[in-house]
Amino acid sequence: MTRLSVNINKIATIRNARGGNAPDVALAALRCEDFGAEGITVHPRPDERHIRYNDVRTIRPTIRTEFNIEGNPIPSFADLVLEVVPDQVTLVPDAPDAITSNAGWDTIRNREFLCSMVSKFKAAGIRTSIFIDPDPEMARGAKLCGADRVELYTAAYAENYPTDRDKAIAPYLETALAARECGLGLNAGHDLSLENLEFFIRTIPFTDEVSIGHAIICDALYMGLEKTIKAYLAQIKIF
């Protein structure tokens, strides 16, 4: 059954806009768990414009579900991950100046680097996932890198869903099946929402985890955090 991991970066963005500690991101993580979230995701970036490295250190001991840290495995990020030892690390090739993640890894061209990073994290007992575009060859490449899972970058699916949802999901299903055939676990994330989540899970019911942040926080402004998390859970728990 698919698990919901809530990305709390946007809560940190609100805090950082004003300074101080309101809203409290550590408390927000606990409340997300109280309301049914089965994991917490953070994506610390070098400029710390939302989640800060010290947030990760503070949050880690309080998490009662699964803790997923995602980001580009630059040395400072790798050191942080190995320090706090999350349940999962998701490797994302985002540039330092990227507003948000905008592409997956080329797991073939970057095999040597990814193999070294995956090996390092797995030696510490951390499940390792590689962020990829919907391309079966990238899933197969991730397997050769030693990854435990891949996370499908779902921005294109979300963008094209309103006009032709079957066409939008086709490359994701193909890639998901390739990952499954390789023995990889399957995660998905980016721009998944109450509009498009149910169809994604219905089509690919063996998705292990979805990581959602921006849409949840946007919906929470209107619906409240508890009601919003329960609404997302309702989208993925019917299969």
Side-chain angles (χ1 to χ4, degrees):
M1 187 173 290
T2 306
R3 299 166 65 92
L4 173 65
S5 185
V6 176
N7 186 319
I8 60 172
N9 276 23
K10 284 297 183 294
I11 294 172
T13 301
I14 297 170
R15 177 201 61 190
N16 295 353
R18 184 71 179 265
N21 195 42
D24 183 328
V25 294
L27 179 60
L30 293 176
R31 289 293 178 265
C32 288
E33 292 182 317
D34 289 341
F35 300 150
E38 297 150 310
I40 299 296
T41 291
V42 294
H43 188 144
R45 286 185 165 87
D47 62 7
E48 299 195 323
R49 63 181 180 270
H50 34 64
I51 287 290
R52 300 167 180 156
Y53 278 33
N54 276 337
D55 289 329
V56 178
R57 297 183 177 99
T58 299
I59 292 167
R60 178 63 184 117
T62 71
I63 297 300
R64 298 163 296 184
T65 56
E66 283 204 350
F67 192 38
N68 172 48
I69 304 178
E70 60 182 28
N72 195 326
I74 60 174
S76 59
F77 176 89
D79 289 344
L80 177 68
V81 170
L82 293 172
E83 175 189 343
V84 304
V85 190
D87 300 285
Q88 177 175 265
V89 60
T90 302
L91 309 184
V92 183
D94 54 346
D97 60 349
I99 295 175
T100 187
S101 303
N102 55 21
W105 285 98
D106 184 326
T107 57
I108 298 171
R109 291 178 180 236
N110 295 283
R111 181 177 300 168
E112 183 177 354
F113 173 70
L114 289 171
C115 281
S116 68
M117 297 310 303
V118 169
S119 176
K120 183 180 296 189
F121 293 132
K122 289 182 70 173
I126 304 168
R127 185 173 70 234
T128 304
S129 178
I130 296 178
F131 195 67
I132 64 169
D133 294 318
D135 180 340
E137 288 306 309
M138 295 302 105
R140 297 183 185 105
K143 177 65 175 181
L144 294 175
C145 293
D148 300 297
R149 294 185 181 183
V150 289
E151 178 172 332
L152 300 179
Y153 173 46
T154 49
Y157 164 72
E159 180 180 356
N160 296 312
Y161 176 89
T163 54
D164 189 338
R165 67 182 190 177
D166 293 314
K167 183 177 180 180
I169 205 165
Y172 290 90
L173 177 58
E174 183 183 7
T175 307
L177 290 171
R180 194 182 195 187
E181 290 169 2
C182 290
L184 291 170
L186 183 71
N187 298 341
H190 206 90
D191 292 339
L192 294 174
S193 68
L194 288 176
E195 177 187 11
N196 58 46
L197 179 59
E198 185 270 344
F199 181 72
F200 188 93
I201 300 300
R202 174 152 50 91
T203 306
I204 312 174
F206 52 91
T207 304
D208 291 297
E209 173 188 292
V210 289
S211 175
I212 305 175
H214 184 78
I216 283 179
I217 301 308
C218 289
D219 289 333
L221 292 174
Y222 308 109
M223 300 165 57
L225 186 58
E226 180 174 10
K227 186 176 179 181
T228 296
I229 289 175
K230 292 185 184 306
Y232 277 83
L233 288 169
Q235 297 285 305
I236 64 177
K237 298 301 182 185
I238 57 177
F239 303 103

